[in-house]
């Protein structure tokens, strides 16, 4: 049964139970009312008792004979007879009846309590729901799965409420602020403050122009639609950030995987903001607030662009090609994480040429094919991919241009294979990289042994390798 | 609100990308390799909008410059 269904079933059961109890108490209270009515009007009194005799008999079955007597003489118009008086007396002196009459107030309190409990069952508060579940007579597992479901529902509802609350609060605040500032006609701007802001801007103006021209190629002459899509996306995502939205269904611009896009957006933004700021500075009708806002936006973008610039330049190091040593990622039993025997003759040939490519120091990534690099945020390492026809090799670049081969695979499988290796064998990779750096003798021997094995495995009879 | 806007944008970019792929006769393997992902991931990214919107812009950019 789904947790939500189970929860609803429990609530229903509890509700029914409480309602039954409530009914019981109400019946008892009603009986006490009937029996404690004034006897001044005997006819009325007896008529009332007889009307409700079913209820009275349910509660006090021992009164059957007394009630029968009363009924008999009532039907025969003889209620003044002594036997009726005795019967009535018996009703009121019965022990259970006396108890009931004495506890009337208690019952009334219980009714109030039950009514409150039933109301609380409908309560939307998460704490009330949670404590109900914790007390319920179900397994711990069931408790946990229901509580999880409730928490999730509550979060969803909370964000919607929060959103509306925030919007309402903002509207209220705006109204309050507006009343504080009645229409100002000609207000002289504080010249000193303005000059401070101008100075601030001039300090960073050059650096901003530098970074804009460095990355101007990202937008120069680009398709108009493409530029507009970038703007639209940026605008929408920024709107989310400004609302302090708890909804994390989209990533922020500086969290993008495709960093070129982040930079494109930043450049577009900075150009726009810079233009606006410069306009404002020359505008006689400026407000200090506006200028300060634009300046801050510009600074924010510039800071982000700087950090992004650092990341982007790190990706294309101009390394001196010193060695072209090749290593393979091997597990504890000295086996690679790929199975060369699965490949066809052609594919084995290709694998060998991929290794020869490394010996020549060729890396596809450096040819400007920017995405011959594994795009996965979860990777601790930068993993590159070289391609030869439909075969690929994924590898990590160590210092001195050394290469650690992770695996060989088809074009279609290389990303998934490499990603799983990177995640499942991250400590093996780390250790291997350390061994490579330390020039560990034992490690080097193993590698040499395997490299020779590998060349044998991929060598195909009768073929010539260029 | 935000989600709707991004969904609309996703819808538009998706259509443009599909048109370009057809027009230029680009294989899914080639385009996904250029993006650094498997073609399986490429397909699933276009079936439902992913959190990282830069993917769609990068795809569009590569396609128009193909």
């Amino acid at each position: 049964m789904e947790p939500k269904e189970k929860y609803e079933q429990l609530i229903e059961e509890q509700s029914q139970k409480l309602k039954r109890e409530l009914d019981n108490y109400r019946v008892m209270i009603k009986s006490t009312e009937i029996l404690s009515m004034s006897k001044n009007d005997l006819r009325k009194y007896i008529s009332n008792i007889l009307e409700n005799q079913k209820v009275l008999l349910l509660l006090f079955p021992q009164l059957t004979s007394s009630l029968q007597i009363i009924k008999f003489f009532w039907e025969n118009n003889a209620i003044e007879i002594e036997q009726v008086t005795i019967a009535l007396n018996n009703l009121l002196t019965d022990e259970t009846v006396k108890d009931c009459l004495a506890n009337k107030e208690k019952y009334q309190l219980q009714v109030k309590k039950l009514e409150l409990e039933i109301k609380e069952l409908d309560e939307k508060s998460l704490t009330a729901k949670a404590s109900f579940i914790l007390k319920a007579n179900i397994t711990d597992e069931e408790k946990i799965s229901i509580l999880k479901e409730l928490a999730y529902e509550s979060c969803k509802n909370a964000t919607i409420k929060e959103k509306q609350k925030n919007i309402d609060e903002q509207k209220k605040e705006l109204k309050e602020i507006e009343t504080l500032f009645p229409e100002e006609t000609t207000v002289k701007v504080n010249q000193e403050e303005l000059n401070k802001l101008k100075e601030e801007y001039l300090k960073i103006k050059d650096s901003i122009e530098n970074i804009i021209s460095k990355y101007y190629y990202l937008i120069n002459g680009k398709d108009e639609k493409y530029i507009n899509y970038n703007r639209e996306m940026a605008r929408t995502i920024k709107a989310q950030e400004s609302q302090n939205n708890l909804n994390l269904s989209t990533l922020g611009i500086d969290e993008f995987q495709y960093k070129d896009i982040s930079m494109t957006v930043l450049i577009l933004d900075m150009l726009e903001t810079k233009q606006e700021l410069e306009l404002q500075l020359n505008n006689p009708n400026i407000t200090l607030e506006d200028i300060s806002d634009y300046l801050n936006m510009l600074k924010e973008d510039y800071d982000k662009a700087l950090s992004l610039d650092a990341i982007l330049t790190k990706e294309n190091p101009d390394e001196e090609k010193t060695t072209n040593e090749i290593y393979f990622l091997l597990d504890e039993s000295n086996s690679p994480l790929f199975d060369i025997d699965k490949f066809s003759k052609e594919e084995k040939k290709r694998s060998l040429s991929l290794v020869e490519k490394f010996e020549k120091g060729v890396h596809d990534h450096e040819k400007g094919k920017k995405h011959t690099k594994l795009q996965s945020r979860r990777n601790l390492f930068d993993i590159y991919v070289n391609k030869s026809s439909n075969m690929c090799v994924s590898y990590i670049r160590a210092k001195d241009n050394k290469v650690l081969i992770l695996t060989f695979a088809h074009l279609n499988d290389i990303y998934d294979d490499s990603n799983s290796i990177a995640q499942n064998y991250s400590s093996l990779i780390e250790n291997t990289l350390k061994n490579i750096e330390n020039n560990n003798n034992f490690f080097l021997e193993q590698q040499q042994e395997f490299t020779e094995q590998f060349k044998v495995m991929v060598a195909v009879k009768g073929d010539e390798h260029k | 609100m935000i989600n709707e806007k991004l969904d609309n944008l996703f819808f538009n970019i998706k259509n443009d990308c599909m048109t370009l792929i057809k027009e230029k006769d680009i294989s899914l393997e080639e385009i996904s390799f250029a993006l650094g992902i498997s073609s399986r991931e490429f397909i699933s990214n276009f079936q439902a909008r992913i959190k990282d919107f830069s993917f769609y812009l990068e795809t569009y950019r590569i396609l128009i410059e193909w």
Side-chain angles (χ1 to χ4, degrees):
Chain A
M1 190 185 276
E2 288 285 337
K4 206 176 180 191
E5 280 174 18
K6 182 77 185 172
Y7 172 74
E8 260 145 34
Q9 185 195 52
L10 287 170
I11 291 282
E12 187 57 29
E13 281 171 15
Q14 178 71 347
S15 171
Q16 293 301 335
K17 178 173 160 219
L18 291 172
K19 284 190 182 139
R20 279 196 299 268
E21 276 181 66
L22 187 61
D23 281 344
N24 282 345
Y25 281 115
R26 283 200 177 129
V27 159
M28 289 198 276
I29 292 174
K30 175 108 205 246
S31 312
T32 61
E33 281 165 2
I34 296 166
L35 293 170
S36 19
M37 256 180 76
S38 156
K39 290 208 205 84
N40 287 343
D41 189 347
L42 193 61
R43 284 198 75 79
K44 210 172 174 193
Y45 183 76
I46 294 179
S47 132
N48 210 12
I49 288 183
L50 292 175
E51 266 177 81
N52 293 293
Q53 64 179 307
K54 268 202 184 136
V55 163
L56 290 169
L57 285 174
L58 265 174
L59 283 175
F60 317 111
Q62 66 276 30
L63 303 176
T64 315
S65 44
S66 304
L67 281 171
Q68 273 175 345
I69 294 169
I70 298 170
K71 185 174 174 197
F72 176 73
F73 287 108
W74 164 270
E75 283 168 355
N76 290 299
N77 266 317
I79 54 175
E80 301 81 2
I81 208 169
E82 202 191 1
Q83 285 177 67
V84 172
T85 321
I86 298 174
L88 283 172
N89 219 27
N90 284 341
L91 287 186
L92 294 166
T93 51
D94 178 82
E95 289 302 310
T96 330
V97 172
K98 277 206 302 198
D99 268 348
C100 192
L101 288 167
N103 289 324
K104 182 174 171 189
E105 270 167 40
K106 247 200 219 170
Y107 299 147
Q108 279 167 335
L109 281 171
Q110 285 289 49
V111 161
K112 283 208 179 125
K113 188 172 154 222
L114 285 165
E115 278 172 350
L116 195 62
E117 271 182 64
I118 292 176
K119 193 170 156 219
E120 273 176 4
L121 277 184
D122 292 334
E123 180 86 353
K124 298 296 179 209
S125 125
L126 183 59
T127 7
K129 284 180 179 174
S131 76
F132 169 70
I133 289 299
L134 287 168
K135 291 189 214 144
N137 187 15
I138 49 178
T139 66
D140 280 345
E141 262 171 27
E142 284 176 307
K143 283 185 193 177
I144 291 173
S145 73
I146 295 176
L147 286 171
K148 268 203 255 183
E149 183 78 27
L150 288 177
Y152 171 66
E153 290 289 339
S154 161
C155 279
K156 272 199 328 193
N157 289 336
T159 24
I160 294 171
K161 267 200 232 158
E162 278 279 322
K163 247 205 232 176
Q164 190 53 43
K165 204 173 116 187
N166 279 343
I167 293 173
D168 289 341
E169 274 178 3
Q170 277 176 17
K171 280 196 190 156
K172 221 171 97 181
E173 277 174 21
L174 273 172
K175 274 213 167 139
E176 285 177 2
I177 292 173
E178 275 170 30
T179 58
L180 289 174
F181 296 103
E183 284 271 326
E184 290 174 57
T185 44
T186 48
V187 180
K188 269 208 159 174
V189 153
N190 186 332
Q191 212 39 52
E192 207 183 300
E193 293 286 333
L194 177 61
N195 286 339
K196 261 200 214 160
L197 289 172
K198 274 190 182 165
E199 242 183 79
E200 246 189 276
Y201 172 57
L202 286 172
K203 268 197 219 162
I204 56 173
K205 185 166 184 243
D206 276 344
S207 327
I208 291 181
E209 281 170 4
N210 280 341
I211 205 165
I212 290 180
S213 47
K214 182 174 180 185
Y215 290 101
Y216 195 66
Y217 71 89
L218 288 172
I219 58 175
N220 190 20
K222 293 282 187 208
D223 185 66
E224 193 64 45
K225 218 176 186 186
Y226 168 70
I227 299 287
N228 284 333
Y229 276 149
N230 271 293
R231 287 214 174 100
E232 233 186 286
M233 169 194 69
R235 222 177 292 140
T236 312
I237 292 180
K238 270 194 234 164
Q240 169 189 266
E241 287 166 7
S242 74
Q243 275 177 28
N244 256 341
N245 205 331
L246 295 171
N247 186 349
L248 300 168
S249 75
T250 55
L251 290 183
I253 291 161
D254 46 0
E255 295 169 289
F256 285 165
Q257 252 182 37
Y258 295 96
K259 306 268 178 236
D260 273 1
I261 304 291
S262 302
M263 191 54 100
T264 305
V265 162
L266 286 171
I267 299 293
L268 283 170
D269 226 41
M270 283 194 285
L271 277 169
E272 225 178 276
T273 312
K274 186 169 175 283
Q275 201 178 46
E276 200 51 56
L277 176 62
E278 284 173 3
L279 254 164
Q280 290 290 332
L281 286 172
N282 294 324
N283 181 353
N285 293 324
I286 44 168
T287 64
L288 280 177
E289 265 167 55
D290 277 350
I291 298 202
S292 167
D293 279 345
Y294 281 122
L295 190 56
N296 286 334
M297 282 185 344
L298 194 55
K299 277 199 261 178
E300 250 181 67
D301 278 344
Y302 175 61
D303 285 338
K304 287 189 184 163
L306 272 184
S307 356
L308 196 51
D309 178 45
I311 297 175
L312 288 172
T313 39
K314 192 181 87 163
E315 286 186 355
N316 287 319
D318 286 319
E319 277 184 15
E320 279 182 34
K321 301 213 187 318
T322 51
T323 68
N324 285 316
E325 282 167 27
I326 301 163
Y327 300 88
F328 293 85
L329 186 66
L330 304 173
D331 63 16
E332 300 86 38
S333 48
N334 269 356
S335 310
L337 299 175
F338 55 89
D339 185 1
I340 203 76
D341 290 325
K342 275 202 288 185
F343 298 134
S344 71
K345 208 165 93 172
E346 259 312 300
E347 288 160 355
K348 285 185 186 174
K349 242 170 89 173
R350 299 261 158 262
S351 305
L352 186 59
S353 67
L354 280 168
V355 172
E356 286 166 355
K357 237 170 131 173
F358 285 135
E359 285 164 358
K360 292 187 202 145
V362 174
H363 299 278
D364 284 350
H365 188 74
E366 284 170 4
K367 288 200 211 150
K369 292 187 185 181
K370 291 211 118 187
H371 298 291
T372 45
K373 186 179 163 196
L374 230 59
Q375 297 293 340
S376 176
R377 207 189 328 276
R378 292 170 286 177
N379 284 346
L380 300 165
F381 320 98
D382 282 339
I383 300 178
Y384 296 91
V385 172
N386 267 2
K387 182 168 96 104
S388 174
S389 173
N390 70 337
M391 277 301 278
C392 294
V393 63
S394 60
Y395 61 101
I396 295 176
R397 299 180 73 167
K399 284 196 196 153
D400 295 333
N401 215 38
K402 295 177 190 174
V403 155
L404 172 60
I405 292 178
L406 299 183
T407 188
F408 292 89
H410 289 156
L411 191 50
N412 238 352
D413 299 324
I414 191 67
Y415 296 108
D416 289 341
D417 286 359
S418 309
N419 268 324
S420 37
I421 290 175
Q423 272 150 53
N424 299 330
Y425 292 91
S426 55
S427 28
L428 178 64
I429 294 175
E430 267 172 33
N431 289 337
T432 311
L433 286 170
K434 275 198 202 129
N435 283 334
I436 292 175
E437 206 179 319
N438 298 336
N439 275 323
N440 179 317
N441 274 332
F442 179 61
F443 172 75
L444 290 175
E445 269 175 36
Q446 278 182 342
Q447 286 288 324
Q448 245 189 338
E449 209 185 294
F450 179 77
T451 310
E452 272 157 33
Q453 263 179 34
F454 176 78
K455 296 214 164 145
V456 168
M457 288 195 280
V458 292
V460 180
K461 276 192 191 160
D463 279 328
E464 281 178 349
H465 302 293
K466 284 196 189 154
Chain B
M1 229 341 217
I2 308 295
N3 278 330
E4 277 152 27
K5 286 196 176 150
L6 286 174
D7 280 340
N8 280 338
L9 194 56
F10 163 60
F11 181 74
N12 290 335
I13 297 185
K14 177 176 165 177
N15 283 342
D16 286 344
C17 289
M18 293 304 132
T19 309
L20 285 165
I21 288 176
K22 273 187 269 178
E23 274 173 19
K24 302 189 176 183
D25 199 15
I26 301 167
S27 84
L28 287 182
E29 277 170 11
E30 288 176 301
I31 177 68
S32 31
F33 182 79
L35 285 158
I37 55 171
S38 68
S39 47
R40 201 174 23 236
E41 199 177 330
F42 180 85
I43 292 171
S44 96
N45 286 355
F46 273 97
Q47 280 173 332
R49 175 167 68 84
I50 59 169
K51 278 191 192 190
D52 186 348
F53 209 87
S54 69
F55 169 77
Y56 302 109
L57 284 159
E58 182 69 5
T59 305
Y60 183 69
R61 183 185 70 78
I62 291 179
L63 289 172
I64 45 177
E65 294 175 359
W66 195 272

